[in-house]
Structures are given as C-alpha cells and as structure tokens.
Amino acid sequence: MRHSGRYARVGVAVGAVLAIAGCAPPSTSGAPSTAATATSAAALGGMDALVAAAKKEGQLNLVSTAPDWANYAAIMAGFQAKYGIKINDDNPEGSSQDEINAVKRLAGTDRAPDALDIGVRELADTSLFAPYQVATWKDIPDAQKEPSGLWVQDYGGYMAIGYDSSKVSAITSVQDLLKPEFKGKIALFADPTASNSALSAVMMTSLANGGSLDDISKGVEFFAKLKKAGNFVPVAATKATVANGTTPVVINWDYLAVSFATDVPAWTLLIPSGAIVAGFYNQAVNKGAPHPAAARLWMEYLYSNEGQNLFLEGGARPVRMDAMTKQGVIDAPAAAKLPPVSGPGNFINLNQATAAKAYLVANWANAIS
C-alpha cells in the first residue's frame, strides 16, 4: 500500500537514543530570541507572540505526513482552521528517512520541511534539529524526550493482531495463527526487511515463541511455519484487501489497524499478552526551517490538549495521556475505545532494531520462500 514507505518508520524505545543525543539543555531565559532560535514560546515573548509570528509566515511545510496515519487528517485540518496557516504536505506516502533526506536536500530553500515526525533510527543525527520545549513539556515523561527538546515522542501504540471476526474465529494468542482455519488469511503491511512496523510484527511473534528483543530468529521461524502451513500470504495488506476479504488477519500497530473497522464492522484487535511490543514516534523541528515560528506553533498544537486528544481519537496513545487523565482533560470516550493491554510493553531500542533488521535481511526471504 501507499504506506509501504511510511511503515518504514520506527517506533521504539528511547533509552539508547537519549545516550545518542546526549546534549545539555539550552537556556530558555535571557534576552528574547528570534523564532529560528527560540527554545520555547516564552523565549519568543509568549504564546501570543508565537502565534502572531507564525501567522505572519503563513505556511507550514511538512513531509511524509499521511492523512490517514494516527488521525493526521483531522490534526492538520484543526491546525489550519485554528490559526489560518496553510500546510504544505509533500510526499505524504513517504517514510521517516524521506523526511531526513528532504531536510538535507532542500536545505536553504523555502520548500524544506519545518517539522518532522520520525522514527528512532532517524534520531541518530540530532545536528539537523532545533531544540524546542512545548508549553506542556512537564507533562511528558523524561524518558520520552531529549532533555533540550531536540526531539520529543508524541504518540504511540502496541503491535496488534487485527482480524475480521465475521470471517475467522476469535484469536486469543499468536499460536492460534497456526490453526488450519487461517490458511491463506494472514498478512503483514510490508516487507519486514524494509519496514520497521513489519519488523516489529515479526518481533512480536518472536517474543511469543521464546525469542527476545535481542533475538528475532524465533519470529522468522514462526513465519516460516505459517508459510509452510499456507496461512501466511506475502501480500501487502491495505484497507482494500481487508475490505474485500483478501487479508482478514493483519498484524500492525493498533492505531493503524483499528482504522479497518470503518469498512469492516466486525474488525477486532488483539494485543497478545506475553508478546507486547510497544513503540512511539517523535517530533522534531528542522534547524533550518523556512517557517520557524509556524514549526514551533505546530509543535505546541500537537502537544496541546486538543492535539493530543486528536491522536487519541485516531486510536493512538498520546504521550501526555497519563498527565491529561489526571488533569481531567483527556477524551475519556476515545480512551475507553483503546484495545486492552495486559502487561508492560517491550520497547525495541536502536541497537536491537538494527540487529533485527540485519537478521531479517539475511534470513527472511528463505524463510517464506
């Protein structure tokens, strides 16, 4: 599907990234700064000043921000309606790496992206980013943000098995997928050698079969069994293949898989206990943003109650969810719709993701051939 590139994003743990970033917090006090160097709205003179500066710029450049990813269509529409700032979303079907490439390729032009939504591997070089701390900074757990604001996690979820309960029986575990009734019914969204979402799906099955975050081999072996049984179909699942019944069982992030319920009312999600893989994505401001005030206002919007609840409305878990729940400002009905999770999530770190990808590149094709 068009998300094949988008799914190459990585939503994994940040512990390793914290070590990679390793920057000291910048000062947010002192003389007023320009938008291009402002590390907070306060440093620019306050939120009203930031809004005025952003409106004067009039535009916001994004890249690879798919409207149907984590409710971004509503989020972009809400930002434009609230501030009257036009969003230019280039290559919405692209990947996190495409975003980094655009930052470098378009540097110094008015077409460069202003802000990024990227996976953990794209955080390896933070020299491209400007530090910025949103007004709700204190609500974000320390483990989910770079201390100075070079990047901040924004939304995430869990790897889930989604299925059409009108076509297959209830799935209660990863092992159920080996049953004969699932012949020709199980798919991923993309090739796990290229997609980190699909990589996380294989990692989930690895955990369910005695593997670990350092050992994805058990997951590859499991998919080899699925293929041998005729259950796994090497079809990139899309909304169309789910709607027409070609792929009634799909493994993906819960906040993406949940969207299939729009076309398939019997669509159900399972986050298997004992094999819980979790992941978050990250926001960053381009250091060379052509619209630096709009970039920072976009960040403020994403981490506002309104922005965070829009992520939640799309089935993703906003990074401020715990704080907003305590403050009584969370969208409770939307929160109640999230699929249940029985246990702590396993976050794949950068080194584990890199090692898993190398193993998949060497072994995946043979396993499912």
Side-chain angles (χ1 to χ4, degrees), residues 96-152:
S96 295
Q97 186 58 51
D98 289 333
E99 296 184 59
I100 297 299
N101 294 344
V103 169
K104 296 177 180 177
R105 177 170 49 85
L106 299 173
T109 76
D110 60 4
R111 294 179 53 227
D114 292 305
L116 309 172
D117 177 348
I118 50 181
V120 71
R121 290 195 306 190
E122 286 70 34
L123 300 178
D125 181 7
T126 55
S127 67
L128 299 173
F129 311 144
Y132 186 78
Q133 297 182 355
V134 294
T136 53
W137 181 258
K138 63 179 176 55
D139 289 349
I140 302 168
D142 290 343
Q144 296 187 275
K145 58 191 179 187
E146 194 278 332
S148 70
L150 286 171
W151 55 262
V152 190

Short mmCIF file of all heavy atoms in Angstrom, two decimals, residues 96-152:
data_model
loop_
_atom_site.label_atom_id
_atom_site.label_comp_id
_atom_site.label_asym_id
_atom_site.label_seq_id
_atom_site.Cartn_x
_atom_site.Cartn_y
_atom_site.Cartn_z
N SER A 96 10.08 7.96 7.19
CA SER A 96 10.88 8.82 8.06
C SER A 96 12.21 9.18 7.41
O SER A 96 12.68 10.32 7.52
CB SER A 96 11.14 8.11 9.39
OG SER A 96 9.94 7.91 10.11
N GLN A 97 12.80 8.22 6.73
CA GLN A 97 14.08 8.51 6.06
C GLN A 97 13.89 9.54 4.96
O GLN A 97 14.76 10.38 4.72
CB GLN A 97 14.67 7.22 5.49
CG GLN A 97 16.07 7.40 4.89
CD GLN A 97 17.07 7.93 5.91
OE1 GLN A 97 17.21 7.39 7.01
NE2 GLN A 97 17.78 9.01 5.57
N ASP A 98 12.73 9.50 4.29
CA ASP A 98 12.43 10.51 3.28
C ASP A 98 12.40 11.90 3.90
O ASP A 98 12.78 12.89 3.26
CB ASP A 98 11.08 10.21 2.62
CG ASP A 98 11.14 8.99 1.71
OD1 ASP A 98 12.22 8.68 1.19
OD2 ASP A 98 10.08 8.34 1.54
N GLU A 99 11.92 11.99 5.14
CA GLU A 99 11.88 13.28 5.82
C GLU A 99 13.29 13.81 6.05
O GLU A 99 13.58 14.99 5.81
CB GLU A 99 11.14 13.16 7.14
CG GLU A 99 9.67 12.77 6.98
CD GLU A 99 8.93 12.75 8.30
OE1 GLU A 99 8.89 13.80 8.96
OE2 GLU A 99 8.41 11.68 8.68
N ILE A 100 14.15 12.94 6.54
CA ILE A 100 15.54 13.35 6.77
C ILE A 100 16.21 13.73 5.45
O ILE A 100 16.93 14.74 5.37
CB ILE A 100 16.32 12.20 7.45
CG1 ILE A 100 15.73 11.90 8.83
CG2 ILE A 100 17.80 12.57 7.58
CD1 ILE A 100 15.78 13.05 9.79
N ASN A 101 15.95 12.95 4.42
CA ASN A 101 16.52 13.26 3.11
C ASN A 101 16.05 14.63 2.62
O ASN A 101 16.82 15.39 2.02
CB ASN A 101 16.14 12.18 2.10
CG ASN A 101 16.75 10.83 2.42
OD1 ASN A 101 17.69 10.74 3.21
ND2 ASN A 101 16.23 9.78 1.82
N ALA A 102 14.77 14.94 2.88
CA ALA A 102 14.23 16.23 2.43
C ALA A 102 14.88 17.39 3.19
O ALA A 102 15.14 18.45 2.61
CB ALA A 102 12.72 16.25 2.64
N VAL A 103 15.14 17.19 4.48
CA VAL A 103 15.81 18.23 5.26
C VAL A 103 17.16 18.57 4.63
O VAL A 103 17.53 19.74 4.49
CB VAL A 103 16.00 17.77 6.72
CG1 VAL A 103 16.94 18.73 7.47
CG2 VAL A 103 14.65 17.69 7.43
N LYS A 104 17.88 17.54 4.22
CA LYS A 104 19.23 17.75 3.66
C LYS A 104 19.15 18.27 2.22
O LYS A 104 19.86 19.20 1.86
CB LYS A 104 20.00 16.43 3.70
CG LYS A 104 20.25 15.91 5.10
CD LYS A 104 20.98 14.56 5.08
CE LYS A 104 21.24 14.04 6.49
NZ LYS A 104 21.88 12.70 6.49
N ARG A 105 18.27 17.67 1.44
CA ARG A 105 18.19 18.00 0.01
C ARG A 105 17.66 19.41 -0.21
O ARG A 105 18.10 20.10 -1.15
CB ARG A 105 17.30 16.97 -0.69
CG ARG A 105 17.06 17.21 -2.17
CD ARG A 105 16.37 16.00 -2.81
NE ARG A 105 15.22 15.54 -2.06
CZ ARG A 105 14.00 16.04 -2.17
NH1 ARG A 105 13.78 17.02 -3.03
NH2 ARG A 105 12.99 15.55 -1.46
N LEU A 106 16.73 19.84 0.63
CA LEU A 106 16.07 21.13 0.43
C LEU A 106 16.58 22.21 1.37
O LEU A 106 15.98 23.29 1.47
CB LEU A 106 14.56 20.96 0.62
CG LEU A 106 13.88 19.98 -0.35
CD1 LEU A 106 12.43 19.76 0.03
CD2 LEU A 106 13.99 20.48 -1.79
N ALA A 107 17.68 21.94 2.03
CA ALA A 107 18.24 22.90 2.99
C ALA A 107 18.48 24.25 2.31
O ALA A 107 19.02 24.33 1.20
CB ALA A 107 19.54 22.37 3.56
N GLY A 108 18.03 25.32 2.97
CA GLY A 108 18.26 26.66 2.45
C GLY A 108 17.19 27.13 1.48
O GLY A 108 17.26 28.26 1.00
N THR A 109 16.21 26.27 1.20
CA THR A 109 15.12 26.66 0.31
C THR A 109 13.83 26.84 1.11
O THR A 109 13.72 26.36 2.24
CB THR A 109 14.88 25.60 -0.78
OG1 THR A 109 14.18 24.47 -0.21
CG2 THR A 109 16.20 25.12 -1.37
N ASP A 110 12.85 27.49 0.49
CA ASP A 110 11.57 27.66 1.19
C ASP A 110 10.70 26.42 1.10
O ASP A 110 9.57 26.42 1.59
CB ASP A 110 10.82 28.88 0.65
CG ASP A 110 10.50 28.76 -0.85
OD1 ASP A 110 10.79 27.71 -1.44
OD2 ASP A 110 9.96 29.73 -1.41
N ARG A 111 11.22 25.36 0.48
CA ARG A 111 10.47 24.10 0.40
C ARG A 111 10.92 23.09 1.45
O ARG A 111 10.35 22.01 1.56
CB ARG A 111 10.66 23.48 -0.99
CG ARG A 111 10.04 24.29 -2.13
CD ARG A 111 10.29 23.63 -3.48
NE ARG A 111 9.85 22.24 -3.47
CZ ARG A 111 10.57 21.23 -3.94
NH1 ARG A 111 11.80 21.45 -4.44
NH2 ARG A 111 10.11 20.01 -3.90
N ALA A 112 11.90 23.41 2.21
CA ALA A 112 12.39 22.48 3.23
C ALA A 112 11.30 22.22 4.28
O ALA A 112 10.51 23.12 4.58
CB ALA A 112 13.64 23.04 3.90
N PRO A 113 11.27 21.01 4.81
CA PRO A 113 10.28 20.74 5.87
C PRO A 113 10.58 21.58 7.11
O PRO A 113 11.73 21.80 7.46
CB PRO A 113 10.43 19.24 6.13
CG PRO A 113 11.78 18.88 5.61
CD PRO A 113 12.07 19.83 4.49
N ASP A 114 9.51 22.00 7.78
CA ASP A 114 9.66 22.78 9.01
C ASP A 114 9.73 21.88 10.24
O ASP A 114 10.48 22.17 11.17
CB ASP A 114 8.49 23.75 9.15
CG ASP A 114 8.51 24.83 8.09
OD1 ASP A 114 9.55 25.52 7.99
OD2 ASP A 114 7.53 24.99 7.37
N ALA A 115 8.93 20.84 10.24
CA ALA A 115 8.89 19.93 11.39
C ALA A 115 8.80 18.49 10.89
O ALA A 115 8.35 18.24 9.76
CB ALA A 115 7.69 20.26 12.27
N LEU A 116 9.23 17.57 11.73
CA LEU A 116 9.34 16.17 11.33
C LEU A 116 8.61 15.27 12.31
O LEU A 116 8.53 15.56 13.51
CB LEU A 116 10.81 15.76 11.28
CG LEU A 116 11.76 16.67 10.48
CD1 LEU A 116 13.20 16.23 10.70
CD2 LEU A 116 11.41 16.64 9.01
N ASP A 117 8.12 14.16 11.78
CA ASP A 117 7.52 13.09 12.59
C ASP A 117 8.25 11.82 12.19
O ASP A 117 8.01 11.27 11.11
CB ASP A 117 6.02 12.99 12.28
CG ASP A 117 5.35 11.86 13.04
OD1 ASP A 117 6.04 11.02 13.62
OD2 ASP A 117 4.09 11.82 13.04
N ILE A 118 9.14 11.35 13.03
CA ILE A 118 10.10 10.33 12.60
C ILE A 118 10.30 9.22 13.63
O ILE A 118 9.96 9.36 14.79
CB ILE A 118 11.48 10.99 12.31
CG1 ILE A 118 11.90 11.86 13.48
CG2 ILE A 118 11.45 11.77 11.01
CD1 ILE A 118 13.22 12.57 13.29
N GLY A 119 10.88 8.14 13.14
CA GLY A 119 11.20 7.01 13.98
C GLY A 119 12.53 7.19 14.69
O GLY A 119 13.25 8.17 14.48
N VAL A 120 12.85 6.23 15.54
CA VAL A 120 14.02 6.38 16.39
C VAL A 120 15.32 6.34 15.60
O VAL A 120 16.29 7.03 15.95
CB VAL A 120 14.01 5.31 17.50
CG1 VAL A 120 14.30 3.93 16.95
CG2 VAL A 120 15.02 5.66 18.60
N ARG A 121 15.38 5.55 14.53
CA ARG A 121 16.64 5.47 13.80
C ARG A 121 16.98 6.80 13.15
O ARG A 121 18.15 7.11 12.91
CB ARG A 121 16.57 4.37 12.74
CG ARG A 121 16.56 2.98 13.36
CD ARG A 121 16.85 1.91 12.37
NE ARG A 121 15.96 1.95 11.22
CZ ARG A 121 15.89 1.00 10.31
NH1 ARG A 121 16.67 -0.06 10.40
NH2 ARG A 121 15.06 1.08 9.29
N GLU A 122 15.96 7.60 12.86
CA GLU A 122 16.20 8.90 12.23
C GLU A 122 16.62 9.94 13.26
O GLU A 122 16.84 11.10 12.92
CB GLU A 122 14.94 9.35 11.48
CG GLU A 122 14.69 8.59 10.18
CD GLU A 122 14.28 7.15 10.41
OE1 GLU A 122 13.59 6.89 11.41
OE2 GLU A 122 14.66 6.28 9.60
N LEU A 123 16.73 9.55 14.52
CA LEU A 123 17.20 10.47 15.56
C LEU A 123 18.71 10.35 15.78
O LEU A 123 19.25 11.00 16.66
CB LEU A 123 16.48 10.18 16.87
CG LEU A 123 14.95 10.33 16.87
CD1 LEU A 123 14.39 9.97 18.23
CD2 LEU A 123 14.54 11.73 16.47
N ALA A 124 19.35 9.52 15.00
CA ALA A 124 20.77 9.27 15.22
C ALA A 124 21.60 10.55 15.05
O ALA A 124 22.60 10.75 15.74
CB ALA A 124 21.26 8.18 14.27
N ASP A 125 21.20 11.42 14.11
CA ASP A 125 21.93 12.67 13.87
C ASP A 125 21.05 13.84 14.28
O ASP A 125 20.27 14.36 13.48
CB ASP A 125 22.33 12.78 12.40
CG ASP A 125 23.13 14.05 12.11
OD1 ASP A 125 23.48 14.77 13.07
OD2 ASP A 125 23.39 14.33 10.92
N THR A 126 21.18 14.28 15.51
CA THR A 126 20.33 15.37 16.01
C THR A 126 20.86 16.75 15.61
O THR A 126 20.26 17.76 15.97
CB THR A 126 20.21 15.30 17.54
OG1 THR A 126 21.52 15.30 18.12
CG2 THR A 126 19.47 14.04 17.96
N SER A 127 21.97 16.79 14.85
CA SER A 127 22.50 18.08 14.42
C SER A 127 21.55 18.78 13.45
O SER A 127 21.70 19.97 13.19
CB SER A 127 23.87 17.90 13.76
OG SER A 127 23.77 17.18 12.54
N LEU A 128 20.60 18.04 12.91
CA LEU A 128 19.65 18.62 11.97
C LEU A 128 18.49 19.33 12.68
O LEU A 128 17.72 20.03 12.04
CB LEU A 128 19.07 17.52 11.07
CG LEU A 128 20.06 16.75 10.20
CD1 LEU A 128 19.35 15.59 9.50
CD2 LEU A 128 20.70 17.67 9.17
N PHE A 129 18.36 19.14 13.98
CA PHE A 129 17.18 19.60 14.70
C PHE A 129 17.47 20.81 15.58
O PHE A 129 18.60 21.01 16.03
CB PHE A 129 16.62 18.48 15.58
CG PHE A 129 16.46 17.16 14.86
CD1 PHE A 129 16.70 15.97 15.53
CD2 PHE A 129 16.10 17.11 13.52
CE1 PHE A 129 16.57 14.75 14.87
CE2 PHE A 129 15.96 15.90 12.86
CZ PHE A 129 16.20 14.71 13.54
N ALA A 130 16.41 21.57 15.82
CA ALA A 130 16.50 22.72 16.74
C ALA A 130 15.82 22.34 18.06
O ALA A 130 14.74 21.77 18.06
CB ALA A 130 15.80 23.92 16.12
N PRO A 131 16.44 22.67 19.19
CA PRO A 131 15.79 22.36 20.46
C PRO A 131 14.57 23.23 20.68
O PRO A 131 14.59 24.44 20.42
CB PRO A 131 16.90 22.66 21.48
CG PRO A 131 17.75 23.69 20.82
CD PRO A 131 17.73 23.34 19.35
N TYR A 132 13.49 22.59 21.13
CA TYR A 132 12.28 23.35 21.42
C TYR A 132 11.47 22.61 22.47
O TYR A 132 11.22 21.41 22.35
CB TYR A 132 11.42 23.56 20.18
CG TYR A 132 10.25 24.48 20.46
CD1 TYR A 132 10.43 25.86 20.53
CD2 TYR A 132 8.98 23.97 20.70
CE1 TYR A 132 9.38 26.72 20.83
CE2 TYR A 132 7.92 24.82 21.00
CZ TYR A 132 8.12 26.19 21.07
OH TYR A 132 7.09 27.04 21.38
N GLN A 133 11.07 23.33 23.51
CA GLN A 133 10.27 22.75 24.58
C GLN A 133 8.87 23.36 24.55
O GLN A 133 8.71 24.57 24.71
CB GLN A 133 10.92 22.99 25.94
CG GLN A 133 12.29 22.32 26.08
CD GLN A 133 12.92 22.53 27.45
OE1 GLN A 133 12.38 23.25 28.28
NE2 GLN A 133 14.05 21.90 27.67
N VAL A 134 7.87 22.51 24.34
CA VAL A 134 6.49 22.98 24.27
C VAL A 134 6.01 23.40 25.65
O VAL A 134 6.60 23.06 26.69
CB VAL A 134 5.57 21.89 23.70
CG1 VAL A 134 5.92 21.61 22.25
CG2 VAL A 134 5.66 20.61 24.54
N ALA A 135 4.90 24.13 25.67
CA ALA A 135 4.37 24.65 26.93
C ALA A 135 3.97 23.52 27.89
O ALA A 135 3.98 23.71 29.10
CB ALA A 135 3.16 25.55 26.65
N THR A 136 3.62 22.37 27.35
CA THR A 136 3.20 21.24 28.19
C THR A 136 4.37 20.29 28.47
O THR A 136 4.15 19.12 28.77
CB THR A 136 2.05 20.49 27.50
OG1 THR A 136 2.46 20.14 26.16
CG2 THR A 136 0.80 21.34 27.43
N TRP A 137 5.57 20.80 28.37
CA TRP A 137 6.79 19.99 28.49
C TRP A 137 6.81 19.14 29.75
O TRP A 137 7.21 17.98 29.74
CB TRP A 137 7.98 20.95 28.47
CG TRP A 137 9.33 20.29 28.55
CD1 TRP A 137 10.14 20.21 29.65
CD2 TRP A 137 10.05 19.66 27.49
NE1 TRP A 137 11.31 19.56 29.34
CE2 TRP A 137 11.29 19.21 28.03
CE3 TRP A 137 9.78 19.43 26.14
CZ2 TRP A 137 12.25 18.55 27.25
CZ3 TRP A 137 10.74 18.77 25.37
CH2 TRP A 137 11.94 18.33 25.94
N LYS A 138 6.38 19.69 30.87
CA LYS A 138 6.49 18.98 32.14
C LYS A 138 5.59 17.74 32.19
O LYS A 138 5.82 16.84 33.01
CB LYS A 138 6.12 19.92 33.30
CG LYS A 138 4.69 20.41 33.28
CD LYS A 138 4.40 21.31 34.46
CE LYS A 138 3.00 21.90 34.40
NZ LYS A 138 1.94 20.90 34.28
N ASP A 139 4.59 17.69 31.34
CA ASP A 139 3.69 16.53 31.33
C ASP A 139 4.30 15.32 30.62
O ASP A 139 3.78 14.20 30.71
CB ASP A 139 2.38 16.86 30.60
CG ASP A 139 1.50 17.81 31.39
OD1 ASP A 139 1.80 18.05 32.58
OD2 ASP A 139 0.53 18.31 30.82
N ILE A 140 5.38 15.53 29.89
CA ILE A 140 5.97 14.47 29.08
C ILE A 140 7.04 13.75 29.90
O ILE A 140 7.96 14.40 30.42
CB ILE A 140 6.59 15.05 27.79
CG1 ILE A 140 5.52 15.80 26.99
CG2 ILE A 140 7.23 13.94 26.95
CD1 ILE A 140 6.07 16.65 25.87
N PRO A 141 6.93 12.44 30.07
CA PRO A 141 7.93 11.72 30.87
C PRO A 141 9.35 11.95 30.36
O PRO A 141 9.59 12.06 29.15
CB PRO A 141 7.51 10.25 30.70
CG PRO A 141 6.04 10.31 30.40
CD PRO A 141 5.86 11.56 29.58
N ASP A 142 10.30 12.05 31.29
CA ASP A 142 11.68 12.32 30.92
C ASP A 142 12.24 11.31 29.92
O ASP A 142 13.06 11.65 29.07
CB ASP A 142 12.56 12.34 32.18
CG ASP A 142 12.29 13.54 33.06
OD1 ASP A 142 11.68 14.52 32.56
OD2 ASP A 142 12.68 13.50 34.24
N ALA A 143 11.81 10.07 30.06
CA ALA A 143 12.34 9.02 29.18
C ALA A 143 11.83 9.15 27.75
O ALA A 143 12.30 8.44 26.86
CB ALA A 143 11.97 7.65 29.73
N GLN A 144 10.87 10.07 27.54
CA GLN A 144 10.27 10.18 26.22
C GLN A 144 10.57 11.50 25.54
O GLN A 144 9.85 11.92 24.64
CB GLN A 144 8.75 9.95 26.33
CG GLN A 144 8.43 8.52 26.78
CD GLN A 144 6.95 8.20 26.75
OE1 GLN A 144 6.23 8.50 27.68
NE2 GLN A 144 6.49 7.60 25.68
N LYS A 145 11.67 12.14 25.98
CA LYS A 145 12.06 13.40 25.34
C LYS A 145 13.55 13.60 25.54
O LYS A 145 14.13 13.22 26.56
CB LYS A 145 11.28 14.56 25.95
CG LYS A 145 11.46 14.71 27.45
CD LYS A 145 10.46 15.70 28.04
CE LYS A 145 10.65 15.82 29.57
NZ LYS A 145 9.61 16.65 30.20
N GLU A 146 14.16 14.24 24.55
CA GLU A 146 15.55 14.63 24.67
C GLU A 146 15.58 15.86 25.58
O GLU A 146 14.70 16.73 25.47
CB GLU A 146 16.11 14.95 23.28
CG GLU A 146 17.62 15.06 23.21
CD GLU A 146 18.12 16.41 23.66
OE1 GLU A 146 17.37 17.41 23.51
OE2 GLU A 146 19.25 16.48 24.16
N PRO A 147 16.50 15.93 26.53
CA PRO A 147 16.42 16.96 27.56
C PRO A 147 16.24 18.39 27.07
O PRO A 147 15.55 19.19 27.71
CB PRO A 147 17.74 16.78 28.32
CG PRO A 147 18.08 15.34 28.15
CD PRO A 147 17.62 15.00 26.75
N SER A 148 16.84 18.74 25.95
CA SER A 148 16.73 20.11 25.47
C SER A 148 15.54 20.30 24.54
O SER A 148 15.18 21.43 24.21
CB SER A 148 18.01 20.51 24.72
OG SER A 148 18.10 19.80 23.50
N GLY A 149 14.93 19.23 24.10
CA GLY A 149 13.81 19.33 23.16
C GLY A 149 14.21 19.12 21.71
O GLY A 149 13.48 19.50 20.80
N LEU A 150 15.36 18.51 21.47
CA LEU A 150 15.76 18.22 20.09
C LEU A 150 14.78 17.25 19.44
O LEU A 150 14.58 17.27 18.24
CB LEU A 150 17.18 17.65 20.04
CG LEU A 150 18.30 18.65 20.30
CD1 LEU A 150 19.64 17.93 20.46
CD2 LEU A 150 18.38 19.66 19.15
N TRP A 151 14.21 16.36 20.23
CA TRP A 151 13.12 15.50 19.77
C TRP A 151 12.25 15.17 20.97
O TRP A 151 12.71 15.19 22.12
CB TRP A 151 13.64 14.21 19.10
CG TRP A 151 14.57 13.39 19.95
CD1 TRP A 151 15.93 13.39 19.90
CD2 TRP A 151 14.21 12.46 20.99
NE1 TRP A 151 16.45 12.53 20.83
CE2 TRP A 151 15.41 11.93 21.52
CE3 TRP A 151 13.00 12.01 21.52
CZ2 TRP A 151 15.43 11.00 22.56
CZ3 TRP A 151 13.02 11.08 22.56
CH2 TRP A 151 14.23 10.58 23.05
N VAL A 152 10.98 14.89 20.70
CA VAL A 152 10.02 14.55 21.74
C VAL A 152 9.07 13.50 21.18
O VAL A 152 8.55 13.65 20.08
CB VAL A 152 9.18 15.78 22.17
CG1 VAL A 152 8.38 15.45 23.42
CG2 VAL A 152 10.05 16.98 22.39
#
